[in-house]
Amino acid sequence: MMIVVAYDVNTETASGRRRLRLVAKTCMKYGQRVQNSVFECLVSPSDYLVLRHELDDIVDLERDSMRFYNLGAKYSTRIEHVGRQRHVPVDDVMMV
Amino acid sequence: MMIVVAYDVNTETASGRRRLRLVAKTCMKYGQRVQNSVFECLVSPSDYLVLRHELDDIVDLERDSMRFYNLGAKYSTRIEHVGRQRHVPVDDVMMV
């Protein structure tokens, strides 16, 4: 299934900047970065639980925010892209 | 249907900063800001076309990037949130 991970990490402090790096590094293990703070992760349900667990250990729940969007298995028609492309499409994601 | 709009606008120039403001202002007419560069827009198919048209007129396709994720009508189980909340949930979006 395709999970979109979007996050806002408070980078006012050094620890916040560290959290930001760790969140990105963790997401990179599971998927592609499509925007500064957005990853698309093609994961099994069990991998998704591990990803969530790793991210929950990193973020500060009082200061950071994460949104997870589950696009399911048939996700390519659910994604549209406009403008500068950041990554090589995983498969035939619709370009408009 | 729920459309997630995620964007990266190049803000190195004054015109880029202006585009960023206009993109946010446009998305605000259609939905809620859930992160710095992420909006959730509950729109009809026709409103979605108008939104897309307005945004296409604003962004610089060479420098900016927009991703649109269509979560469909039954979207609440597709969204999970962790951490700092930015807006009042539209309805019973699952908080974990």
Side-chain angles (χ1 to χ4, degrees):
Chain A
M1 62 193 182
M2 176 66 83
I3 301 288
V4 177
V5 183
Y7 54 85
D8 261 357
V9 173
N10 183 310
T11 54
E12 286 164 11
T13 61
S15 63
R17 289 186 289 278
R18 184 170 173 278
R19 293 196 308 272
L20 183 66
R21 284 192 304 274
L22 285 176
V23 164
K25 230 170 127 183
T26 301
C27 289
M28 242 169 253
K29 294 190 299 185
Y30 294 87
Q32 305 228 24
R33 181 177 231 159
V34 292
Q35 287 185 356
N36 276 341
S37 301
V38 179
F39 278 79
E40 291 174 9
C41 303
L42 198 54
V43 288
S44 66
S46 53
D47 279 350
Y48 178 44
L49 289 178
V50 176
L51 168 60
R52 284 294 309 272
H53 190 71
E54 289 183 36
L55 292 175
D56 286 355
D57 280 350
I58 295 169
V59 296
D60 176 337
L61 297 182
E62 299 296 317
R63 311 180 71 178
D64 307 331
S65 156
M66 288 193 298
R67 296 285 277 192
F68 302 90
Y69 300 105
N70 185 341
L71 303 186
K74 293 190 185 112
Y75 57 87
S76 56
T77 56
R78 290 185 179 276
I79 304 176
E80 290 183 83
H81 178 89
V82 169
R84 184 177 51 83
Q85 185 76 258
R86 215 192 141 96
H87 78 298
V88 176
V90 170
D91 48 19
D92 51 354
V93 168
M94 198 156 62
M95 300 298 149
V96 287
Chain B
M1 61 193 184
M2 176 65 83
I3 302 286
V4 176
V5 183
Y7 53 85
D8 261 358
V9 173
N10 183 309
T11 54
E12 287 163 11
T13 61
S15 63
R17 289 186 288 279
R18 184 170 173 276
R19 292 196 309 271
L20 183 66
R21 284 194 303 273
L22 285 175
V23 165
K25 230 169 126 185
T26 301
C27 290
M28 241 171 255
K29 293 191 300 187
Y30 294 87
Q32 304 228 25
R33 182 177 232 158
V34 292
Q35 287 184 354
N36 276 340
S37 302
V38 178
F39 278 78
E40 292 175 6
C41 303
L42 198 55
V43 287
S44 66
S46 53
D47 278 350
Y48 177 44
L49 289 177
V50 176
L51 168 60
R52 284 293 308 272
H53 191 71
E54 288 183 37
L55 291 175
D56 286 355
D57 280 352
I58 295 169
V59 295
D60 177 336
L61 298 181
E62 300 295 319
R63 312 180 72 180
D64 306 331
S65 156
M66 288 192 299
R67 296 280 284 190
F68 301 90
Y69 300 105
N70 186 340
L71 304 186
K74 294 190 184 113
Y75 57 87
S76 57
T77 56
R78 291 184 179 276
I79 304 176
E80 289 183 84
H81 179 89
V82 169
R84 185 177 49 82
Q85 185 76 259
R86 217 193 140 95
H87 78 299
V88 175
V90 171
D91 46 18
D92 49 354
V93 170
M94 197 156 65
M95 299 297 149
V96 289

